[in-house]
Amino acid sequence: MKNFFESMAVAFAMYSKIPMPRVTWNKENMKYCLCFFPLIGAAVGIADGLWFRLCSLLQWSDLLRASVLTVLPLIITGGIHMDGFLDTSDALASWQPVQEKLRILSDSHVGAFAVISAGGYLTLSLGILSQSRFNDMILIGAGFMLSRAWSGLGVVTLKKAKTSGLLRTFSDAAVNARVRTVMIIYIAAISAGIILLDPFRGLAESVVCALVFLYYRFMAYHKFGGITGDLAGFYVQISELAMAAAVILLSP
């Protein structure tokens, strides 16, 4: 039981800014910490839903509501996935050989293409979320969990581009077979839940998330020789935006 709570604390400490008890990171409590990764998505979804409800009760403007919905996930996660999205955008825009792309991923400087990509991403997110209704937020909130379940599955199943780095550390520490099983259960349960809630849009959201994962795998293998932590963050951000777009654009 101690390892259970310590694994959860490690996951939340790594992938969010939600305060957690201080624990020592070791091989034992890192074995299953990826199993708690989708729960961070649940926290983001709940926070978005509460903010939406507050805006409805106080009759605040759609623009204010959508603006906070856009930045709230970044606040809760500390922008760790957006950081990966920005680094990946710079690397992809460089059109350099694989090793140079990997070097760009590790570079702490922000390039012009990262800034342009961030502006485009946040503008699209703002526009999409400005059209949302509360029922939409249930599906979008589930998407925060679904993207992390697919990302966690990728960590323990896809080829790694580097022999070091944070993603490699988590992958090497994980009990891959069990983590893979848990991620598949998450994906199946979340997908089934949103399909039961809204058959057409739930199915579309599930398919979109899976298709973006296939693109992520193809892009990572062909452009970088495998996945990295930054590429995993890129996937989380792109899949969440694509799922939100599917939910809103297919709204009756």
Side-chain angles (χ1 to χ4, degrees):
M1 186 62 70
K2 178 183 177 183
N3 283 342
F4 176 90
F5 287 110
E6 287 187 348
S7 294
M8 182 170 63
V10 169
F12 273 79
M14 179 62 218
Y15 294 110
S16 82
K17 290 297 182 181
I18 299 172
M20 285 287 122
R22 186 181 296 275
V23 298
T24 301
W25 291 25
N26 55 49
K27 192 170 183 179
E28 286 302 311
N29 60 31
M30 291 180 69
K31 282 182 179 179
Y32 303 109
C33 69
L34 282 173
C35 296
F36 298 95
F37 189 28
L39 298 186
I40 300 167
V44 174
I46 291 170
D48 271 4
L50 291 174
W51 170 253
F52 194 105
R53 181 60 73 188
L54 178 64
C55 289
S56 297
L57 290 174
L58 299 179
Q59 297 184 337
W60 287 343
S61 71
D62 292 347
L63 180 59
L64 175 61
R65 184 190 70 213
S67 297
V68 175
L69 288 175
T70 297
V71 301
L72 197 55
L74 302 180
I75 295 171
I76 294 173
T77 63
I80 186 171
H81 308 303
M82 180 59 76
D83 177 71
F85 171 79
L86 300 182
D87 288 341
T88 303
S89 298
D90 266 341
L92 288 173
S94 71
W95 295 97
Q96 295 296 312
V98 169
Q99 289 305 315
E100 180 62 15
K101 286 192 182 78
L102 292 174
R103 187 198 65 78
I104 292 171
L105 290 181
S106 302
D107 193 338
S108 60
H109 296 88
V110 177
F113 288 100
V115 176
I116 293 169
S117 298
Y121 184 100
L122 295 174
T123 301
L124 284 173
S125 180
L126 177 65
I128 290 167
L129 293 173
S130 68
Q131 300 298 310
S132 61
R133 301 166 300 179
F134 186 72
N135 287 345
D136 300 327
M137 294 310 301
I138 298 174
L139 295 175
I140 293 172
F144 292 120
M145 296 181 65
L146 193 57
S147 67
R148 285 162 175 79
W150 274 107
S151 180
L153 182 64
V155 170
V156 295
T157 59
L158 299 183
K159 180 173 66 174
K160 314 306 182 292
K162 299 189 291 186
T163 57
S164 61
L166 195 58
L167 181 137
R168 187 77 194 210
T169 300
F170 275 86
S171 174
D172 289 346
V175 180
N176 286 0
R178 293 183 182 178
V179 173
R180 181 170 62 247
T181 299
V182 171
M183 292 300 112
I184 291 172
I185 291 171
Y186 270 125
I187 292 167
I190 296 166
S191 298
I194 59 178
I195 290 171
L196 286 173
L197 181 66
D198 189 318
F200 179 59
R201 292 194 296 164
L203 178 60
E205 183 178 11
S206 300
V207 170
V208 164
C209 195
L211 289 176
V212 176
F213 182 82
L214 293 177
Y215 161 74
Y216 159 55
R217 180 187 183 279
F218 175 84
M219 179 271 291
Y221 281 26
H222 286 77
K223 300 292 186 180
F224 297 91
I227 67 168
T228 69
D230 284 320
L231 297 178
F234 177 87
Y235 164 72
V236 169
Q237 293 294 157
I238 291 295
S239 63
E240 288 174 359
L241 184 65
M243 285 188 286
V247 168
I248 298 303
L249 294 176
L250 296 176
S251 181

